[in-house]
Amino acid sequence: MKKNLFLALIICCGITSFISTNAQINQFVIQTNKIGSEIQPTMYGLFFEDINYAADGGLYAELIKNRSFEFPDNFMGWKIFGKVSLKYDGPFEKNPHYVRLEYPGHDHKRTGLQNEGYFGIGVEQGKEYRFSVWARVANDASKIRIQLIDESSMKEQQAVASQDLIIDSKEWKKYQLILKPSETVSKGQLRIFLESKNPIDLEHISLFPVDTWKGHENGLRKDLAQALYDIHPGVLRFPGGCIVEGTDLNTRYNWKNSIGPVENRPLNENRWQYTFPHRFFPDYFQSYGLGFYEYFILAEEIGAEPLPVLSCGLACQFQNNDSSAHVPVCDLGSYIQDALDLIEFANGDVHTKWGKIRSEMGHPQPFNLKFIAVGNEQWGKEYVDRLQPFVEAIRKAYPNINIIGGSGPGSEGDQFDYLWPQMKKLKVDLVDEHFYRPENWFLSQGARYDSYDRKGPKVFAGEYACHGTGKKWNHFYTSLLEAAFMTGMERNADVVHMATYAPLFAHVDGWQWRPDMIWFDNLRSVKTVSYYVQQLYSQHKGTNVLPMTMNNKPICGAPDQNGLFASSVWDKNTNEIIVKIVNTSSQPQQIDLSFPALKKKETLSGGKLITLSSDNLDGENTLDNPLAIVPKYSEFDFAGNHLNINVNPYTFVIYSFKFHK
Ligand code: AHR
C-alpha cells in the first residue's frame, strides 16, 4: 500500500515537472528600436595554417612531393631505378639539387624515377594535368616518358596516362605537357623513364591539375578553395599558428623565402612533423609554393581581409624553454624590418623595393593590407618585451596599420590575465585569443564578452573549437556548442571584431590535430558541421546588433535559461532581422519571440528559416557521407509582433524576418 502511494507520488511529481518544463514559455524580446553596434565586415573569418597537410598535399594543388630534391633525404618521396644520380649545382640557387638520368647499360632494364605524391597522387578521368620540368641535355636531344600509374597496377602498359617529351636544350629550360588520365585513380604515382641513351638532367618536377581555383598555374585545389569562398569570410589569417614560430628560429616561417619564382623558394621544415610521437611525419616540409603572394591573392579572391602573422623572435615556446632559443630583444632588428618590408610588399607602390617585387609577381595594385599580427601564441614577459619594439616601429612607419597582439595559449589563467593588461598598455588594436576547450567551457561562456572593457583593444578570437571530452573528433554536439557560444560573439560585436575557427583543413591520411573544419583526401573533401556553423554565421551576420533579452537579460545559456542561447541582428542592406537561437538542452523549448517596440508603420513578415540538427549527437559528415548533417532551408509565415516557436532539443535555428516600413 505504502509502495503504491510512493509510486503514485513519483508519477505525479514526474508529470508535474514534465508539464511545467513543457508549459514554460521562454519570453524572448527583440528591441527593434535599439539598433546596436556595427558588426565588423571582418566577422567571420578563416585561419589557415599548414598543419594536417593543409598546404603541401592539400590546398596547394602541386601533386609531386619533394619536387626539387631538397628534402634532407633527397630522394624522399621518390623511387629510383637504373642509373640516377643526384647533383647539386642546379639553376636555382636556393634549391641547388637535381637529378641526372643516364643509360643504365645493357644489363639493366631501364633508368627512371617515380614519385609517390602526398599519400598518393589523385587524378580524375578525362581531366587535364600539367606536367612540367626544368631539363637539359649534355649534347644530343634525348627523350623521357612521363606516366601516371595506379599504385595497385604497376605495369607500364596499365598507365592511366603516358606521354613522351623530347629534351633538346643544352641550357636549363622549362618543358611542359598535358596528361589526361583514362581512369580516376586516388592513389596514383608519377613515373618518368629515360627513353634514349643520351643523359638528361631534371629539376623541379611538377604536376598540377589544369583546373585549379581561378585557373592559376601555381594554383590551389579548386574544391578546397571554393569551400573557403563559400563561407564568405571576412578575414584570412595566415600562415599559422605554430609554424610562424618554428620548432626553432631557423624553421620559423620566413615570408621573404615564400615569394618570387617558385623554383627558387627554399624548402622549410614543417614544425608539425613533431607534435605527436605516434603520428610522426618525417616527410612534412613546406615547399613555400603557397607563399605570401599566393595568400594575398587568395584573400583577395575570396573577399577576405588579409591578416599575416609574423614571428616576434620567439621560437615555439612549447618546445623551447631555454631563453637562448629566442632572439634577444636587442637583436630584433631584422625581424622588425621583415614586418615593415611585408607592409611595403603588400601596400607599397611599384617604385618601392618590395612593391616592385609584388608588381613583378603579377599584382601591381596594392593588396591594401590593414592588419598585421606579431607573434602567434606567445606568452610571458619575453613576449611583451619583444612586441613593444615592433609596435613602436610599425606605428611610426605605418600609423594606419592595425596591430594584433596575443593573450597566450589559454582562454583564461595566469598568462591570459597577465597579457591582456600588457596588450592594453602597448595599445595594440586587437588581442588574439585562443581556446580549444571542452563542452562545459563552451556551455558556460555565452556571456564571456559581455563584461569586456569597451575602451580597450578589440578581440580577435583567432583560434577556437570545441574539443569533446573523450571525443576529440568532429561531431554534431561540439559544433552545436560552437554555434551557441558564437551568439555571445555576435551580441558583443562592439568588442569582438574577428573570429576564426581552427584548424581549417586536414588530410584524412596525414592529420596531426583534430577537430578541423574541412577534411579531404586526394580527390574528395567534406565540410564538417562546424563548417556549416561558421558559414551560417558568416552568411547571416547582418550589419548591426539588435538587443535581445529573456527576462531582461541577454540570452546566453545562463543556468535559468533552459540551455538556450540567442542573438539577433539587423541587416540594413537586406532589410532583415535575423534571429539565431540554439537549444543546447535535451528538451524542446517553447519560445515566444516578440517585437514590442515595432512602431506604427513598421511591420515584419516571414522569410527564411534554417535548421541545423541531428538525431545523433555524435553524428558527423564523412567523405563517404558528406551531407549527413547539413542546414535545412525552409520558409515561415509571420504577421503581427509575436512568433510562437518550438525549438527541438539540440537544435540551431535561424529566422530571417523581412522588415517593412
Ligand atoms: O591550430 C593548431 C595550433 O594550435 C596552432 O598552430 C597554434 O597556434 C595552437 O597551439
Side-chain angles (χ1 to χ4, degrees), residues 52-53 118-120 186-187 279 281 506-512 519-522 623:
N52 306 321
Y53 289 80
Y118 297 92
F119 316 103
S186 64
K187 288 186 178 287
R279 290 184 73 82
F281 293 91
H507 193 300
V508 289
D509 293 329
W511 57 270
Q512 295 84 40
W519 287 80
F520 58 90
D521 65 12
N522 291 344
L623 287 170

Side-chain angles (χ1 to χ4, degrees), residues 587-615:
Q587 300 298 317
Q589 297 293 343
Q590 302 290 331
I591 292 170
D592 174 40
L593 190 65
S594 65
F595 302 85
L598 280 179
K599 293 185 193 137
K600 254 196 175 168
K601 284 187 181 157
E602 293 174 345
T603 58
L604 293 177
S605 61
K608 192 164 56 181
L609 167 61
I610 307 170
T611 308
L612 185 62
S613 65
S614 167
D615 295 341

Side-chain angles (χ1 to χ4, degrees), residues 35 51 70 130 148 183 203 226 248 278 285 324 329 338 357 363 411 449 507 534 541 566 577-578 594 608:
I35 296 207
I51 181 173
E70 297 298 333
R130 183 180 292 106
L148 284 168
E183 281 173 37
E203 159 67 313
Q226 182 69 46
D248 54 32
H278 59 287
F285 290 87
S324 66
V329 177
D338 279 354
I357 295 174
H363 203 283
S411 47
Y449 296 114
H507 193 300
Q534 295 296 320
K541 69 181 174 205
I577 290 174
I578 304 167
S594 65
K608 192 164 56 181

Side-chain angles (χ1 to χ4, degrees), residues 47 49 51 237 241-243 245 272 318 376-377 434 436 463 502-503 513:
F47 161 48
E49 174 169 29
I51 181 173
R237 175 182 183 233
C242 290
I243 67 162
E245 307 154 38
W272 291 107
F318 285 112
N376 166 46
E377 201 175 65
H434 293 182
Y436 298 105
E463 293 185 27
W513 183 294

Side-chain angles (χ1 to χ4, degrees), residues 317-462:
Q317 286 167 282
F318 285 112
Q319 288 170 296
N320 297 280
N321 281 329
D322 187 350
S323 64
S324 66
H326 311 303
V327 188
V329 177
C330 59
D331 291 340
L332 276 175
S334 66
Y335 285 70
I336 294 171
Q337 195 58 47
D338 279 354
L340 299 176
D341 291 344
L342 177 64
I343 299 170
E344 185 176 291
F345 176 74
N347 293 353
D349 73 40
V350 297
H351 304 295
T352 60
K353 175 179 170 195
W354 292 98
K356 184 165 181 270
I357 295 174
R358 179 197 70 239
S359 173
E360 285 165 359
M361 288 185 76
H363 203 283
Q365 293 307 316
F367 286 120
N368 196 15
L369 178 70
K370 300 187 185 89
F371 303 94
I372 194 166
V374 180
N376 166 46
E377 201 175 65
Q378 326 305 154
W379 62 79
K381 186 171 176 319
E382 56 268 48
Y383 174 47
V384 177
D385 289 349
R386 284 166 180 78
L387 181 58
Q388 183 174 356
F390 276 89
V391 173
E392 283 164 10
I394 296 171
R395 290 273 185 251
K396 193 167 166 211
Y398 298 103
N400 295 329
I401 291 282
N402 295 288
I403 301 173
I404 298 173
S407 56
S411 47
E412 51 268 305
D414 291 350
Q415 284 303 339
F416 185 89
D417 293 343
Y418 165 71
L419 284 167
W420 252 101
Q422 295 298 325
M423 293 302 123
K424 285 184 185 174
K425 266 194 212 156
L426 289 177
K427 294 197 169 69
V428 299
D429 299 287
L430 292 106
V431 176
D432 183 8
E433 296 190 346
H434 293 182
F435 35 94
Y436 298 105
R437 307 290 274 125
E439 297 92 331
N440 57 3
W441 188 93
F442 273 80
L443 279 165
S444 66
Q445 292 288 311
R448 179 180 179 88
Y449 296 114
D450 295 3
S451 54
Y452 267 49
D453 180 359
R454 280 20 221 181
K455 295 196 187 100
K458 305 303 175 192
V459 171
F460 171 29

